[in-house]
Amino acid sequence: MALEHALLVSLSEHSGSGYELARRFDKSIGFFWSASHQQIYRVLKRMDEAGWVDGETVGQDGRPDKRVYRVSDAGRAELRRWIAEPTEPGHLRDELAVKIRAASYGDLDDVRAEVGRHRDDHARRLEVYRLIEKRDFPAPDRLSGTDLHQYLVLRGGIRVEEGFTAWCQEVLDAL
């Protein structure tokens, strides 16, 4: 996936300026697709040049004007094309797993500390996801459309964090 596609999804849900997109990105899509604010601005410019978005300059009192982007017809066509394109299954590429495998060649206390740090980090992220679930999706059985799709992605994140947290604890118990 290119950042362009993640931005097309976000802009399809709600138009916005580069700054607004970056803030939304940090709170949602950014949990599973990272991008710096500078990358977002660069890609928005390319998308505008490609005709995938339409930008409108909006004046603001006491602040510089901002450019608000909306997905164009060409952008919607690209998003449909990309959605229909097969996606390769993801593969775990995790440096911690390699460190655990190499534990015999280093200090086991260091490995335990690192696994514990990862467990705690995954547990914190899991808690954030559960708070978002409780706050934004109190009645998941009544969801449809975009709300359902956002909820399903959140549930995937919850399951991943539950799995990593449990795996780290399993490693710590075994070591």
Side-chain angles (χ1 to χ4, degrees):
M1 172 174 73
L3 178 55
E4 285 86 341
H5 298 109
L7 293 175
L8 282 171
V9 171
S10 186
L11 286 171
S12 294
E13 294 172 353
H14 193 276
S15 61
S17 67
Y19 176 77
E20 292 162 346
L21 268 172
R23 290 197 63 212
R24 285 198 323 242
F25 214 83
D26 289 343
K27 296 177 183 175
S28 62
I29 290 176
F31 284 123
F32 52 92
W33 190 265
S34 62
S36 71
H37 291 206
Q38 293 82 6
Q39 287 174 301
I40 290 172
Y41 285 105
R42 273 196 312 273
V43 170
L44 274 174
K45 184 176 187 229
R46 278 199 315 259
M47 292 168 66
D48 196 10
E49 291 167 355
W52 290 0
V53 295
D54 295 318
E56 175 186 352
T57 302
V58 176
Q60 302 184 102
D61 290 331
R63 292 187 292 181
D65 294 348
K66 67 179 179 179
R67 192 144 175 88
V68 176
Y69 295 92
R70 290 173 178 71
V71 178
S72 67
D73 290 341
R76 281 187 284 282
E78 171 56 22
L79 190 54
R80 280 191 300 276
R81 184 206 63 76
W82 173 75
I83 290 169
E85 186 178 86
T87 301
E88 290 299 316
H91 298 282
L92 176 63
R93 181 179 174 211
D94 191 84
E95 188 174 348
L96 180 63
V98 178
K99 287 185 176 189
I100 293 167
R101 182 161 176 157
S104 297
Y105 309 109
D107 187 323
L108 203 52
D109 287 337
D110 290 341
V111 174
R112 282 190 201 98
E114 186 67 358
V115 172
R117 189 177 70 79
H118 280 255
R119 179 204 55 207
D120 296 346
D121 186 61
H122 285 288
R124 280 190 295 275
R125 185 173 298 177
L126 174 59
E127 185 59 30
V128 168
Y129 288 175
R130 286 181 174 156
L131 289 172
I132 292 169
E133 180 182 37
K134 184 177 182 177
R135 180 193 69 206
D136 295 349
F137 305 103
D141 54 326
R142 290 190 245 147
L143 296 173
S144 63
T146 301
D147 290 338
L148 175 62
H149 305 149
Q150 290 172 352
Y151 173 73
L152 293 172
V153 171
L154 178 62
R155 286 296 305 156
I158 288 170
R159 298 294 298 263
V160 166
E161 297 306 330
E162 286 172 340
F164 264 95
T165 301
W167 175 62
C168 287
Q169 188 58 55
E170 181 181 341
V171 170
L172 287 170
D173 292 345
L175 292 179

